């Protein structure tokens, strides 16, 4: 019985490994960006896991960074959002530096928010000074796209809370201030982050 269970486990592991390798092959064999985006949608639906999402994120970032075609850029940005949401489910990732670069470079608030949240999940420490500075400046007032700024500010607060570091205190204080323009849910989340930091200091 134990031998049968062991064999079954090995078969499942081999099948899973083959499936991941197969996704890499399918993705890399697809040249058209619109088709790559559809492959990523299928990967998401079928529960692809592991390093395939690191592979996809790196490839999409390199392509996005050189795109001028509007339709292709939209497709790649949506695919990147899907990829980032799956990177967050991995315990480790080799793409922290790429995601940090993406967070700083993109003007798409939805993509920027996904990248910022992923940085917090990955605990990518190099991003902390930029995140705190970005949130602090955003708390001074909205730019030309208040809704987009709200999305990014919310992501900054949630990301900094994941780091649980005293370096975030000044930015969270500014975001929680009643004079900040942020909606209540952002100010309240920032306040909760400050309370979490206070508890860590007491420990």
């Amino acid at each position: 019985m134990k031998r049968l269970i062991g064999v079954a486990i090995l078969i499942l592991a081999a099948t899973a490994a083959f499936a991941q390798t197969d996704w890499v092959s399918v993705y890399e064999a697809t040249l058209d960006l619109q088709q790559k985006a559809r492959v990523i949608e299928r990967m998401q639906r079928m529960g692809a896991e592991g390093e395939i999402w690191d592979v996809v994120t790196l490839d999409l970032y390199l392509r996005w960074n050189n795109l001028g075609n509007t339709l292709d850029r939209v497709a790649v940005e949506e695919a990147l959002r899907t990829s980032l949401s799956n990177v967050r489910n991995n315990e480790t990732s080799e793409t922290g530096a790429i995601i940090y670069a993406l967070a700083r470079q993109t003007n798409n608030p939805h993509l920027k928010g996904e990248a910022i949240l992923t940085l917090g999940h990955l605990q990518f420490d190099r991003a902390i000074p930029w995140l705190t500075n970005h949130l602090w400046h955003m708390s001074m007032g909205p730019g030309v796209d208040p809704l987009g700024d709200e999305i990014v500010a919310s992501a900054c607060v949630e990301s900094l809370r994941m780091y649980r570091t005293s370096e975030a205190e000044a930015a969270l204080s500014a975001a929680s201030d009643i004079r900040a323009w942020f909606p209540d849910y952002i100010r309240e989340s920032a306040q909760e982050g400050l309370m979490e930091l206070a508890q860590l200091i007491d420990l």
Side-chain angles (χ1 to χ4, degrees), residues 33 58-70 72-73 76-77 80 102 105:
L33 289 175
L58 174 58
D59 181 68
L60 288 175
Y61 169 76
L62 294 174
R63 292 172 185 277
W64 170 84
N65 216 19
N66 294 291
L67 275 179
N69 183 292
T70 302
D72 280 347
R73 195 174 185 89
V76 169
E77 288 184 345
L80 268 168
L102 178 63
Q105 292 169 9

Side-chain angles (χ1 to χ4, degrees), residues 28-98:
E28 291 180 346
T30 306
L31 300 179
D32 180 80
L33 289 175
Q34 305 284 335
Q35 291 177 349
K36 279 188 182 292
R38 287 192 285 274
V39 168
I40 290 168
E41 288 176 8
R42 289 200 300 275
M43 286 165 53
Q44 167 87 338
R45 286 198 306 271
M46 298 181 71
E49 298 178 325
E51 66 179 14
I52 177 60
W53 294 111
D54 289 338
V55 172
V56 166
T57 300
L58 174 58
D59 181 68
L60 288 175
Y61 169 76
L62 294 174
R63 292 172 185 277
W64 170 84
N65 216 19
N66 294 291
L67 275 179
N69 183 292
T70 302
L71 289 177
D72 280 347
R73 195 174 185 89
V74 169
V76 169
E77 288 184 345
E78 284 302 308
L80 268 168
R81 289 179 62 194
T82 300
S83 180
L84 289 172
S85 70
N86 283 278
V87 167
R88 291 202 296 271
N89 294 328
N90 294 337
E91 292 186 4
T92 60
S93 175
E94 302 300 322
T95 54
I98 292 298

Side-chain angles (χ1 to χ4, degrees), residues 111-133:
L111 180 55
K112 196 179 201 75
E114 289 283 1
I116 287 170
L117 282 174
T118 306
L119 290 171
H121 276 272
L122 298 180
Q123 297 289 286
F124 189 74
D125 291 344
R126 278 172 45 199
I128 294 174
W130 175 77
L131 284 170
T132 55
N133 189 56

